[in-house]
Amino acid sequence: MTTTATAPAHIDHYIDCRLDDRDAQHRSEVYNPATGQVTGLVALGTAADVDATVRAAAEAFETWSVTPPHIRARILFRFRDLVERETDRLAAIITAEHGKVLDDAKGEIVRGLEVVEFACGIPQQLKGEFSENVARAVDAVSLRQPLGVVAGISPFNFPAMVPMWMFPVALACGNTFVMKPSEKDPTLSVELAKLLAEAGLPKGVFNVVHGDKTAVDALLAHDDVEAVSFVGSTPIAEYVHKTASANGKRVQALGGAKNHMLVMPDADLDQTVAALMGAAYGSAGERCMAISVAVPVGEETANALRERLIAALADLKVGPGTEDGVEMGPLVTKAHRDKVAGYLDVGTEEGAELVVDGRQTPFPGHEGGFFIGGSLFDHVTPDMRIYREEIFGPVLAMVRAQSFTEALKLVNDHEFGNGTAIFTADGNTARTFLAKVKAGMVGVNVPIPVPMAFHSFGGWKRSLFGDHHVHGPEGVRFYTRYKTATTRWPNDSQVRAEFAMPTHS
Ligand code: NAD
């Protein structure tokens, strides 16, 4: 274990609007990836901790679910302002535990706040439907009602934004929430919980239980958890979907990605390279919407793109996320940095050309941090592991295609289908791409097409298990149950039993 000058802080569960004072039997180390030092020890929840958290949420549901939607929204309005006020402090916590640069950390808070803003308009989304006189003196009404206690399980790469994809919509719809953040950067969820309490959220409506597989399994099995929102890697997403579904819960489980960017011969290469650098190496490639595969169409496009990327990579500024001018921070843990570095050997052994090797980048004065420079492979082919598997680091693979049709087929044949982009000056090519590509989120001259909060976010194929995308209208559908009532008030017309199927005629 690496040691720190000051003792690592304990990071505890947050239940019923207070930090849980039971001392955890097991804790896991939280690092500052820029220094390699242990800065925190997070509690690893047991089944009993999960049960206590879910029970607090179940009790709170009785009152919260019948609180008028505009009163619930009012609390979210206040929460929105508090998060905005605290953005610098929250971003510093993200950078300290995740490693991403401060501007990027602030950006994820803004994207999360946009979901809060969407949730503030929830009364409009929950209005329901009404039909008068569906038969003589009979009316029909459809309602959207909350589910109960819902759980959110999030990955390390967006400790603010991904939880905020989930809980603002769930709470606004009248559910109570149990958040299980990543054990690698767990502090942000607790900070958000404190701000929700400051905004006036009643006890038990939003709770945080920390942990690993033990806590997740307890949530998936708990009788009082009605639905599970999961975001993480594909094997765990598939496991969560299967297990929670078998236990009768509603599940949305978002998984991994391998996002392709097609570069057509008519694309503006200056714009394309600028976009590609940010999309491939921003947040050290630890984004589910990162571009990890560039597909230049035609040899000329490929050669020009390669030369420009080499030049741009020579200028990429990698270092601690707190330093001015740094564009890319370290990876989240040493184990993850070593895994990413290992893929550079794998690709070379498979016959790809390692054009830029990020392991060669020196980091003087930061030897303890989990740093690696940006890497570029050329002549990657679809049979290679570095093409098929998600590396989740600053490694871009170039796969040369000879035609648009071949490039499109590559995207469509890949097992993941989260996001994709095309860079072109031709409207018809872009239109055909949008119509035919098998991915949930598509960018046309936009490298990271993350939908706005009032649309919904989600992939296709093995990037999403379940039927609902997150936030926006799909989020409202996920966190509510549809109920339709047919109503008649006693009057003189109802005088005899009817044995035929009612036809309302
Ligand atoms: P991960 O799958 O390792 O962990 C995600 C969550 O699952 C964490 O809370 C973790 O504690 C829990 N978990 C881990 N192992 C488990 C197990 N065996 N059983 C039960 N629960 C377990 O993912 P990560 O490394 O934290 O995050 C990176 C991954 O998330 C990447 O694959 C990335 O593509 C994906 N991601 C996807 C999206 C999306 O929208 N599709 C968004 C962000 C991240």
Side-chain angles (χ1 to χ4, degrees):
M1 173 178 139
T2 319
T3 50
T4 52
T6 50
H10 277 196
I11 303 160
D12 290 317
H13 312 303
Y14 191 88
I15 308 170
D16 263 346
C17 281
R18 62 179 174 78
L19 285 165
D20 185 60
D21 52 12
R22 277 174 294 187
D23 197 27
Q25 293 163 4
H26 301 288
R27 289 186 181 268
S28 162
E29 292 173 342
V30 176
Y31 295 89
N32 179 336
T35 62
Q37 290 181 327
V38 177
T39 55
L41 292 170
V42 62
L44 296 179
T46 60
D49 296 325
V50 167
D51 183 54
T53 317
V54 173
R55 275 193 284 114
E59 203 181 316
F61 180 73
E62 298 302 317
T63 314
W64 183 247
S65 56
V66 293
T67 301
H70 67 285
I71 305 290
R72 297 194 297 243
R74 222 170 258 166
I75 294 171
L76 288 169
F77 266 115
R78 284 199 290 272
F79 172 67
R80 186 221 161 275
D81 289 349
L82 291 175
V83 174
E84 191 178 56
R85 185 191 75 192
E86 299 289 317
T87 295
D88 288 350
R89 183 177 68 81
L90 298 174
I93 293 171
I94 295 173
T95 297
E97 289 188 356
H98 175 285
K100 64 178 72 177
V101 301
L102 278 171
D103 277 353
D104 194 26
K106 286 179 197 164
E108 79 156 287
I109 293 171
V110 170
R111 294 311 301 259
L113 277 182
E114 288 166 1
V115 182
V116 181
E117 285 161 2
F118 167 76
C120 287
I122 216 74
Q124 169 70 11
Q125 307 286 329
L126 297 178
K127 278 195 311 199
E129 295 159 338
F130 179 79
S131 301
E132 191 182 25
N133 284 328
V134 293
R136 258 182 293 280
V138 175
D139 303 324
V141 60
S142 292
L143 316 170
R144 289 212 158 268
Q145 295 190 321
L147 306 177
V149 179
V150 299
I153 301 161
S154 60
F156 78 83
N157 66 321
F158 284 110
M161 183 181 78
V162 169
M164 285 203 271
W165 280 354
M166 304 170 178
F167 72 77
V169 182
L171 298 184
C173 289
N175 303 281
T176 54
F177 207 90
V178 175
M179 185 74 228
K180 206 303 283 172
S182 168
E183 63 276 39
K184 294 186 182 120
D185 45 14
T187 300
L188 224 282
S189 281
V190 177
E191 293 302 317
L192 294 177
K194 289 180 189 165
L195 292 177
L196 280 165
E198 190 180 337
L201 197 74
K203 268 171 53 172
V205 175
F206 180 83
N207 311 277
V208 180
V209 67
H210 298 291
D212 54 14
K213 180 171 169 52
T214 303
V216 171
D217 284 346
L219 282 169
L220 304 184
H222 202 292
D223 283 345
D224 288 339
V225 172
E226 294 291 332
V228 177
S229 297
F230 173 90
V231 178
S233 60
T234 283
I236 312 297
E238 189 169 27
Y239 166 77
V240 165
H241 182 255
K242 204 169 139 194
T243 310
S245 301
N247 291 338
K249 303 181 192 322
R250 188 179 281 193
V251 196
Q252 54 181 183
L254 283 71
K258 197 84 178 175
N259 304 315
H260 298 57
M261 181 200 277
L262 270 59
V263 183
M264 298 304 294
D266 61 4
D268 178 320
L269 270 195
D270 288 336
Q271 283 177 10
T272 306
V273 170
L276 192 46
M277 285 299 295
Y281 302 106
S283 201
E286 293 172 325
R287 288 182 182 141
C288 64
M289 290 294 275
I291 295 288
S292 47
V293 182
V295 190
V297 173
E299 289 300 317
E300 217 175 296
T301 316
N303 294 337
L305 184 66
R306 172 187 164 125
E307 290 319 308
R308 284 172 194 242
L309 283 172
I310 293 171
L313 271 165
D315 285 342
L316 181 68
K317 290 178 189 54
V318 189
T322 46
E323 275 183 18
D324 277 351
V326 165
E327 295 163 318
M328 185 180 114
L331 294 186
V332 67
T333 57
K334 180 176 182 308
H336 189 52
R337 196 266 316 275
D338 293 348
K339 184 177 163 197
V340 170
Y343 270 108
L344 301 179
D345 286 331
V346 170
T348 311
E349 283 155 20
E350 288 176 314
E353 183 190 357
L354 184 55
V355 181
V356 179
D357 182 347
R359 291 170 299 189
Q360 309 297 333
T361 311
F363 295 100
H366 301 294
E367 286 75 11
F370 310 141
F371 290 99
I372 190 167
S375 298
L376 176 67
F377 275 116
D378 194 1
H379 301 289
V380 175
T381 54
D383 53 307
M384 294 178 181
R385 276 184 58 203
I386 57 163
Y387 175 73
R388 286 185 281 114
E389 297 173 13
E390 182 184 42
I391 298 175
F392 217 57
V395 182
L396 179 65
M398 266 178 57
V399 182
R400 294 171 176 237
Q402 298 315 315
S403 66
F404 168 73
T405 310
E406 186 189 332
L408 176 64
K409 187 171 177 330
L410 269 177
V411 186
N412 287 351
D413 287 351
H414 204 284
E415 72 166 301
F416 299 123
N418 211 39
T420 186
I422 186 167
F423 274 63
T424 180
D426 184 73
N428 274 321
T429 308
R431 206 165 171 273
T432 307
F433 184 69
L434 177 57
K436 302 234 158 134
V437 76
K438 293 179 184 163
M441 293 166 284
V442 183
V444 174
N445 298 315
V446 171
I448 308 186
V450 174
M452 286 298 287
F454 35 90
H455 292 260
S456 300
F457 181 111
W460 285 17
K461 298 190 274 184
R462 288 173 61 75
S463 293
L464 174 74
F465 300 86
D467 299 322
H468 293 90
H469 291 200
V470 291
H471 65 64
E474 288 272 286
V476 175
R477 277 178 218 122
F478 182 77
Y479 289 125
T480 53
R481 215 168 251 141
Y482 199 69
K483 181 185 278 179
T484 304
T486 305
T487 63
R488 167 157 53 196
W489 293 97
N491 64 22
D492 293 346
S493 67
Q494 191 185 0
V495 289
R496 62 187 169 81
E498 287 178 14
F499 296 96
M501 181 70 188
T503 59
H504 300 296
S505 58

